[in-house]
Amino acid sequence: MSAKENTANATGSRRSPLPPPPPARLDPRLFVPDDAQCTRYWEDYAMLDNVAEHSRMVADVATFLARRAVKIGMDVDVPTVRASALLHDLAKTYCIRHGGNHSQLGGAWVAELTGNPVIASGVTHHVYWPFDLDLPRYFPPLAVLYADKRVNHNRLVSIEDRFDDLIVRYGIPLNLQDSINETKRQALELEQLLCDTLEVDLNACDFDSGRLV
């Protein structure tokens, strides 16, 4: 199956046995926090400065993807994608200090704070997407997932470099190599799908101005 097509199959042992969620569509009745409100949420949950810096960079990458999607005619709401990216690590600081799954906890917090399931989905699934890689149906969470894989701490990096770091920090000490390698496989597949769909080489973008580098 070509990455140019609308969907790609999620494979591997981490695929969810549950039915896929409904399409991530804009509902004008749902609240979408702006940058200032997202920053207040960071403060309310005592986000560490380095996590906030990482979140800003991830949001810049995700925003670039969303704007590019709109430019080619996709039905994507840029503020929704940006808010989800800004909040994707809302529970990271808490889980560093107290343990727990930061994506699952963060998704629950964001769902309660915003009442917006699309924004919350991007938070819950920013580590791994357990369904088909269907960009038209699930652009917001997939954009956040990909953006997170391109930012290592506060640096824009390739997926290869991002996962080399993850293997050293988590894979070897926690014996998570297989899980991390499956996540890397998905990230590379998603990157190719995004490149083909958005008609841009994402490894030649700075994601700030949108210029090629």
Side-chain angles (χ1 to χ4, degrees):
M1 179 180 294
S2 169
K4 188 79 172 180
E5 295 178 275
N6 285 341
T7 62
N9 291 328
T11 58
S13 59
R14 300 178 65 187
R15 184 180 176 92
S16 175
L18 299 174
R25 299 282 187 251
L26 171 66
D27 183 340
R29 297 169 298 178
L30 295 175
F31 172 58
V32 178
D34 59 14
D35 284 32
Q37 182 61 63
C38 289
T39 300
R40 287 192 287 271
Y41 290 149
W42 294 354
E43 294 168 353
D44 291 343
Y45 287 85
M47 182 182 284
L48 292 167
D49 289 345
N50 63 307
V51 178
E53 188 175 6
H54 168 80
S55 298
R56 288 189 189 95
M57 292 195 67
V58 170
D60 286 343
V61 175
T63 300
F64 172 91
L65 298 174
R67 288 174 176 163
R68 180 67 187 175
V70 171
K71 186 174 182 179
I72 67 167
M74 294 183 70
D75 183 17
V76 172
D77 183 61
V78 176
T80 296
V81 173
R82 183 168 181 84
S84 188
L86 284 169
L87 298 175
H88 82 281
D89 268 351
L90 187 64
K92 185 76 169 183
T93 301
Y94 178 92
C95 291
I96 288 172
R97 293 170 174 165
H98 305 291
N101 185 313
H102 80 285
S103 60
Q104 298 297 315
L105 180 59
W109 284 354
V110 170
E112 182 176 2
L113 289 168
T114 68
N116 190 321
V118 177
I119 293 175
S121 178
V123 178
T124 300
H125 295 294
H126 78 266
V127 175
Y128 185 84
W129 181 254
F131 308 103
D132 288 350
L133 299 180
D134 188 334
L135 281 179
R137 286 174 63 88
Y138 305 119
F139 191 92
L142 292 175
V144 176
L145 186 156
Y146 176 74
D148 182 57
K149 302 303 181 288
R150 290 298 308 273
V151 179
N152 189 30
H153 304 299
N154 64 349
R155 294 188 304 112
L156 182 66
V157 297
S158 68
I159 287 177
E160 294 287 348
D161 287 346
R162 178 80 158 101
F163 279 88
D164 285 348
D165 178 70
L166 289 173
I167 285 289
V168 171
R169 286 196 291 141
Y170 302 113
I172 296 172
L174 301 178
N175 196 29
L176 295 174
Q177 293 97 319
D178 289 347
S179 178
I180 290 174
N181 283 329
E182 168 59 19
T183 304
K184 176 182 177 181
R185 182 209 62 76
Q186 182 184 75
L188 289 169
E189 184 178 354
L190 176 57
E191 179 172 69
Q192 189 60 58
L193 180 61
L194 284 164
C195 286
D196 290 349
T197 302
L198 302 181
E199 300 175 350
V200 63
D201 181 358
L202 294 175
N203 285 296
C205 293
D206 62 16
F207 296 109
D208 180 21
S209 64
R211 294 188 301 268
L212 296 182
V213 296

